[in-house]
Amino acid sequence: MNESKQDKLILLVEPDPVVASRLEDLFRGEGWVVEVRHDARRARQFLQNNKPHLVVLEPLLPDEHGLALVSELRKHPKWGFVPTLVLSEDLDPEARLRALKAGALDYMTKPYEREELLFRVRNLLQLAGGTTGADRSSRLSPEEKLLAGLLELGVRQLTPGVSRVSRYGYTVEEAFRLLDDAQPGEELDLLDELADRGKVNRQFYDVVHLCPKCGWHDLNFREVCPACESPNIKVQRMYRHVTCGYVGPRSAFSEAGRRCPRCGREVEPESLVSAGVRFHCNQCHNSFAEPIVVCRCLNCGELSDVDAVETRVIWTYQLRPAEEAEKPHKRVVEPSTLRPLLRGEAAVLSEHEILDKLEQALNEAIEKRQELSLIQIVIEGLGRLRVRVGEDKLRRLLVAAVSRLFRVLRATDSLGYYGASGFLLVLPATSLSEAKVIAERALVYLRQVLPGLFISIRLAGFPQDGRSVDELLEMLEVGIETVNAS
Ligand SMILES: [Zn+2]
Ligand SMILES: [Zn+2]
Ligand SMILES: [Zn+2]
């Protein structure tokens, strides 16, 4: 949005084309940019994608009463600071009051006096240039602004919808609508930022795959011929001739006149047994046991290895009313240095989320009289490794480490960032001895992908090591229970 004086944008909503063009000329003469719409529907369409500095509006519109639009502009946080001047031929003395009640900042009747109108418009444009409200809101970060807007609208739950135009293939409409100059999907990044800081809760919804080159979600995975990379392959069921051991597709026997192509004997149905499947390339006529899987980005055309494809978790979000969200978090949480590195990579809960999860799991364990185990993973030496291999490589190693960790977890377990450089695993309904087995497997995996780092694992179990979240975390700190990979 351009703030300079000569680029002031006025939306003129006026049903009468003659009046509209006269006003348009008047405003243009002052160097203002004017957009004219003749009904409420088109005005609303324009406002979807544009933020004018002033709306000049005749409420007597053909499709609906224009004051509805005025009050919408006031209520919606995105438009809260767009002033409206109602310029009406409605001479009813009550009309002025109705307009001001709806949220209009000024009211004039037609026929208007040119100098007076210009004077009032100039006043309102100045207001639009520097209201304290706009200043205050611009000092908020984009995600804070988004949260404020959503709470103002009374939104409590956000569920992503499928979107072809979002780079993630999903968008959260309610949130996206509140953003200026954003691409669909950017609102997901902002919501994740809020979740990372404990301002909203989130729950797993879906995983999408992103092109390693352009970051777009539209990927086509397919099996191709290992020799020529053609996708034009077919799978064939193979048969063995029991008499001589020859293996071929059924067609090889029928093309030879129901005789075996190798031994020439006539083939009886019972002398053929199934011998699994093979693939045949229609392009180069190669025959092979396993096709290779490649991934083509339908956005940029890049062909990449399946292992290079990035994943992004799509979440649903739960918002708390402002009073609750503003409450300081009870526990002081050390920010993780891993989270910024792994951002959006995997279903790892933030520092706040994992502690919330622990609290919840502990309450459940107490209620159901079940055991509960915690595994803390501390990784040391990441700083040195970063210097040695670079940020990108380090990130890839950590992504691999996390995906290994998920291999040992069960559906009810949770993994989150904990401490400056580590993770916390919450394992409901798990005894300490079961947890040790899981921890040993995790350690083996981690040492495979993160060689040269010092990785230590500590455990704590409910009820023997503590009966509250703080007691259990303290037990981890003390580090009495540890595992060593055998
Ligand atoms: Zn044969
Ligand atoms: Zn081929
Ligand atoms: Zn791409």
Side-chain angles (χ1 to χ4, degrees):
M1 191 171 56
N2 199 323
E3 289 289 341
S4 73
K5 280 223 155 50
Q6 58 271 36
D7 277 354
K8 291 291 187 195
L9 171 63
I10 298 176
L11 171 63
L12 175 61
V13 189
E14 168 58 60
D16 184 333
V18 179
V19 177
S21 87
R22 216 174 284 143
L23 283 167
E24 195 181 353
D25 289 346
L26 180 65
F27 294 157
R28 289 233 165 100
E30 294 293 307
W32 300 321
V33 180
V34 186
E35 281 288 333
V36 183
R37 295 295 182 274
H38 298 298
D39 56 42
R41 187 178 62 83
R42 290 198 178 83
R44 213 172 262 120
Q45 251 169 25
F46 175 79
L47 287 166
Q48 290 282 317
N49 303 312
N50 300 278
K51 187 171 178 175
H53 297 87
L54 174 69
V55 177
V56 176
L57 170 136
E58 163 65 77
L60 305 175
L61 295 172
D63 51 346
E64 64 178 85
H65 201 277
L67 287 189
L69 193 59
V70 173
S71 64
E72 263 169 55
L73 278 170
R74 293 304 291 180
K75 275 189 203 132
H76 205 295
K78 181 172 176 181
W79 306 119
F81 307 112
V82 177
T84 312
L85 184 149
V86 170
L87 179 61
S88 180
E89 58 186 24
D90 192 344
L91 295 174
D92 178 356
E94 293 288 305
R96 174 191 199 84
L97 188 62
R98 279 200 300 270
L100 296 177
K101 268 187 180 163
L105 285 193
D106 206 348
Y107 186 90
M108 274 183 80
T109 49
K110 292 174 190 160
Y112 54 89
E113 206 276 303
R114 290 167 58 105
E115 278 313 306
E116 186 191 351
L117 176 61
L118 285 177
F119 184 76
R120 286 172 186 254
V121 167
R122 246 179 251 126
N123 274 350
L124 289 173
L125 283 175
Q126 257 169 17
L127 200 62
T131 55
T132 50
D135 281 350
R136 200 182 311 122
S137 82
S138 67
R139 238 177 275 130
L140 293 175
S141 65
E143 64 274 10
E144 283 166 336
K145 245 191 262 181
L146 175 62
L147 181 61
L150 288 166
L151 289 170
E152 201 169 319
L153 291 173
V155 174
R156 291 286 172 269
Q157 165 80 29
L158 292 168
T159 305
V162 172
S163 161
R164 296 289 302 169
V165 290
S166 159
R167 62 178 287 231
Y168 301 133
Y170 280 101
T171 188
V172 173
E173 263 300 314
E174 300 97 308
F176 174 64
R177 254 188 268 127
L178 295 181
L179 301 180
D180 291 318
D181 310 319
Q183 298 298 317
E186 276 177 37
E187 75 282 5
L188 298 180
D189 294 335
L190 295 179
L191 288 166
D192 278 348
E193 188 66 40
L194 289 167
D196 286 345
R197 289 200 266 128
K199 301 247 180 184
V200 304
N201 295 330
R202 59 185 175 185
Q203 270 177 334
F204 179 85
Y205 188 69
D206 196 4
V207 170
V208 291
H209 301 276
L210 305 178
C211 168
K213 191 175 176 205
C214 73
W216 199 259
H217 71 275
D218 217 349
L219 301 181
N220 185 13
F221 292 90
R222 54 188 181 180
E223 299 183 322
V224 298
C225 164
C228 73
E229 295 208 340
S230 165
N232 186 7
I233 57 177
K234 67 176 177 210
V235 60
Q236 287 180 318
R237 184 158 289 288
M238 304 302 279
Y239 295 89
R240 175 181 294 109
H241 189 211
V242 288
T243 323
C244 74
Y246 172 80
V247 175
R250 195 176 276 281
S251 60
F253 296 96
S254 53
E255 276 160 18
R258 299 181 55 78
R259 286 180 178 278
C260 172
R262 182 195 278 170
C263 68
R265 289 197 184 90
E266 211 168 307
V267 172
E268 300 298 327
E270 59 273 16
S271 64
L272 288 184
V273 295
S274 173
V277 298
R278 275 186 81 77
F279 291 82
H280 176 83
C281 174
N282 292 330
Q283 203 70 35
C284 71
H285 300 290
N286 178 25
S287 164
F288 47 96
E290 285 280 357
I292 57 171
V293 180
V294 293
C295 166
R296 165 93 61 194
C297 173
L298 298 182
N299 185 47
C300 72
E302 178 83 352
L303 196 65
S304 35
D305 192 75
V306 274
D307 293 331
V309 169
E310 306 204 2
T311 58
R312 188 198 201 283
V313 177
I314 304 295
W315 312 85
T316 64
Y317 302 89
Q318 293 79 43
L319 280 65
R320 300 181 291 267
E323 334 51 275
E324 286 174 42
E326 285 311 311
K327 261 192 236 159
H329 225 272
K330 306 163 285 285
R331 217 162 269 108
V332 181
V333 174
E334 190 174 6
S336 170
T337 56
L338 299 180
R339 183 163 57 74
L341 269 171
L342 280 163
R343 209 197 137 68
E345 267 305 320
V348 184
L349 300 176
S350 78
E351 301 92 317
H352 287 288
E353 286 171 321
I354 189 68
L355 292 181
D356 285 348
K357 185 63 90 180
L358 169 58
E359 185 131 33
Q360 193 188 318
L362 182 62
N363 288 338
E364 224 173 281
I366 293 169
E367 201 176 298
K368 294 184 182 164
R369 296 168 179 276
Q370 284 175 341
E371 290 174 288
L372 168 80
S373 290
L374 297 182
I375 299 176
Q376 181 189 5
I377 299 167
V378 183
I379 304 172
E380 285 168 75
L382 277 173
R384 283 195 307 278
L385 188 61
R386 187 200 301 253
V387 172
R388 210 170 72 223
V389 302
E391 177 115 359
D392 257 17
K393 179 79 193 291
L394 177 64
R395 185 168 163 279
R396 279 202 299 280
L397 289 174
L398 286 169
V399 169
V402 166
S403 86
R404 298 291 163 98
L405 278 179
F406 273 108
R407 283 191 207 166
V408 303
L409 296 187
R410 301 150 306 177
T412 49
D413 302 337
S414 307
L415 172 68
Y417 298 105
Y418 185 70
S421 168
F423 300 100
L424 183 67
L425 278 70
V426 177
L427 314 170
T430 307
S431 71
L432 203 53
S433 57
E434 289 169 321
K436 271 187 188 167
V437 176
I438 292 173
E440 276 163 19
R441 290 182 55 211
L443 191 56
V444 170
Y445 275 141
L446 288 175
R447 288 199 172 139
Q448 276 172 10
V449 283
L450 301 172
L453 290 180
F454 186 74
I455 301 164
S456 56
I457 290 194
R458 302 164 181 171
L459 298 110
F462 167 83
Q464 65 275 31
D465 291 332
R467 291 173 171 272
S468 71
V469 169
D470 288 318
E471 283 170 16
L472 288 171
L473 293 179
E474 213 178 294
M475 186 53 102
L476 289 178
E477 212 52 56
V478 176
I480 292 178
E481 295 277 6
T482 59
V483 298
N484 288 301
S486 41

